[in-house]
Amino acid sequence: MSDKASIGVTGLAVMGRNLARNLARHGHTVALHNRSEQRTRELVEQFGSEGTFIPAYSAREFVDALRRPRQIVVMVKAGEPTDAVIEEFAPLLEPGDVIVDAGNAHFADTRRREAALRERGLHFVGTGVSGGEEGALHGPSIMPGGSRESYESLGPLLEDISAKVDGTPCCTHIGPDGAGHFVKMVHNGIEYSDMQLIAESFDLLRGALGYEPAQIAEVFRTWNTGRLDSYLIEITAEVLAHTDAATGKPFVDVVADQAEQKGTGRWTVQIGLDLGVPITGIAEATFARSLSGHADLREATRGLGGPTRAPLTGAAAESFADDVEQALYASKVVAYAQGFNQIQAGSAEYGWDIDLGAVASLWRGGCIIRAKFLDDIRAAYEAEPALPTLLTSGDFRKAVEDAQDAWRSVVSTAVRLGIPTPGFSTALAYYDALRAERLPAALVQGQRDYFGAHTYRRVDRDGSFHTEWATEDRTEHPA
């Protein structure tokens, strides 16, 4: 019926409110519900002119305001609050109705909820949404999971309100059950790595060249006109150029150097370990935030010895900023390569059949890691869906190989000057480990067999073997 809403939003904090407004601005009638009735009234009072809203002040009234199949977007805190909202609404719904969790839920919780609601005849769609409050209002990148059947009715609405790049919506069906939230989790992990690498670039330009934040802002603005063109580079320049009104100092100098995190980076690292995927760049970025927050430990070790930081001069100084640009680009390629490898591994583990090219496409706009080179990543996976790593894709391979001398120079300069670059360093170590003909893991296997009889494999014949290390002749035998 025309007097019913095509979709409803419950949970009207900033993200929920802006998604509701976005839907209404695109001509969709939106039912509104919030635990606090006042927040529902305020939205209608302030933004009612933007579209058609149907306020509801009880769960039953909210459900009755929706046309079938009912589609309810849940925008509340992850964890128990989400479960509580689901249990409040599920008994009021009918088979075929859809509950959408558009918060930052752990994908394992999404899998559990999807299976439980499927038993009740309901669709549960775990949906990653990236872009922050502005993206939610003006067009985010949207990563829905769940059944294909649910996407038939839900998909057109989500595609309508998503960001668009070259006319293509930054929204697509990712895969079954928890696939959408898994991809959003990895997106956030890549975001951690990307931000850390950019921060290290700033630290290098300041510590090695003595540049002031305003000068570095101009460097970043220049970089943003080339292959590093991205949202994060753009906003970094804005932050670095900003002057604190109260002190007249560069804004970045009056901000505490203790970065916070909400947990998605940590989840990414934990799941990387579970899947056996070496996402070292994301791990180092996550640990860098953790280290920054250990104020007492940092204060206790402040007097530890180190090299004198004398700014570079002459020819070394002239080329250094360009070297940092190359190191940043190469390290970013590694970070994205690791993230896409993790999505590959998750897709295989859980049977999701995720299209990596489609993921790269929907990250081109709306989301925090949107960047020019995501179009190149999309093209790489469309040309070779089973691509083992971006580092072997033609254009990326050449770019990283061309950058490696500068990359190595930057890392060695950082070590010599005592400037911490965990992101750059681990990215380079990962690259070198992949290209190595032999790794010292052979020795590790020998050590494990010696102290724990864990066995080892040989390069010259099949099977597992164990050496009797305690015997005089150290006899080897098949395990």
Side-chain angles (χ1 to χ4, degrees), residues 463-478:
S464 296
F465 299 86
H466 169 61
T467 292
E468 298 291 346
W469 296 99
T471 64
E472 186 174 342
D473 61 357
R474 294 183 172 174
T475 305
E476 178 187 86
H477 58 78

Side-chain angles (χ1 to χ4, degrees), residues 37 46 52 58 116 166 221 274 302 385 391 437 442 444 468:
E37 294 183 6
Q46 294 178 33
T52 305
S58 70
D166 298 330
R221 287 191 176 117
D274 290 344
R302 192 80 67 187
L391 292 168
E437 186 174 343
V444 174
E468 298 291 346

Side-chain angles (χ1 to χ4, degrees), residues 86-154:
I86 291 170
E87 284 309 308
E88 179 181 12
F89 286 104
L92 305 177
L93 300 177
E94 299 175 78
D97 289 348
V98 183
I99 298 177
V100 183
D101 177 8
N104 265 340
H106 194 290
F107 80 95
D109 288 337
T110 300
R111 299 189 78 212
R112 168 179 58 80
R113 292 165 181 150
E114 193 277 335
L117 290 174
R118 191 180 342 119
E119 291 292 317
R120 299 163 74 164
L122 302 176
H123 295 287
F124 184 74
V125 178
T127 300
V129 178
S130 179
E133 58 186 82
E134 287 301 306
L137 181 61
H138 299 294
S141 174
I142 307 178
M143 297 152 257
S147 67
R148 288 198 174 277
E149 182 183 351
S150 65
Y151 195 76
E152 289 178 7
S153 58
L154 180 66

Side-chain angles (χ1 to χ4, degrees), residues 75-279:
M75 292 296 294
V76 301
K77 188 176 180 181
E80 292 182 3
T82 299
D83 284 321
V85 170
I86 291 170
E87 284 309 308
E88 179 181 12
F89 286 104
L92 305 177
L93 300 177
E94 299 175 78
D97 289 348
V98 183
I99 298 177
V100 183
D101 177 8
N104 265 340
H106 194 290
F107 80 95
D109 288 337
T110 300
R111 299 189 78 212
R112 168 179 58 80
R113 292 165 181 150
E114 193 277 335
L117 290 174
R118 191 180 342 119
E119 291 292 317
R120 299 163 74 164
L122 302 176
H123 295 287
F124 184 74
V125 178
T127 300
V129 178
S130 179
E133 58 186 82
E134 287 301 306
L137 181 61
H138 299 294
S141 174
I142 307 178
M143 297 152 257
S147 67
R148 288 198 174 277
E149 182 183 351
S150 65
Y151 195 76
E152 289 178 7
S153 58
L154 180 66
L157 278 76
L158 297 183
E159 290 177 11
D160 195 23
I161 67 167
S162 72
K164 310 293 188 302
V165 175
D166 298 330
T168 301
C170 293
C171 173
T172 191
H173 181 242
I174 299 295
D177 56 73
H181 274 144
F182 186 94
V183 166
K184 175 57 164 56
M185 175 193 74
V186 175
H187 165 283
N188 285 21
I190 294 172
E191 178 186 307
Y192 274 50
S193 185
D194 209 341
M195 293 172 69
Q196 175 65 23
L197 293 168
I198 292 171
E200 289 178 18
S201 299
F202 156 72
D203 204 21
L204 284 162
L205 293 175
R206 198 169 203 188
L209 295 180
Y211 285 6
E212 289 300 316
Q215 291 176 277
I216 302 172
E218 290 307 311
V219 172
F220 275 92
R221 287 191 176 117
T222 299
W223 288 353
N224 202 48
T225 64
R227 61 183 179 175
L228 287 173
D229 179 3
S230 67
Y231 173 70
L232 283 172
I233 294 288
E234 175 188 345
I235 68 169
T236 296
E238 293 299 310
V239 172
L240 290 174
H242 182 54
T243 300
D244 176 55
T247 64
K249 295 179 179 179
F251 170 77
V252 73
D253 287 345
V254 301
V255 176
D257 61 342
Q258 299 174 33
E260 298 181 358
Q261 52 184 306
K262 291 188 175 180
T264 46
R266 183 170 62 250
W267 291 349
T268 312
V269 175
Q270 289 169 339
I271 300 305
L273 290 169
D274 290 344
L275 294 172
V277 181
I279 49 170

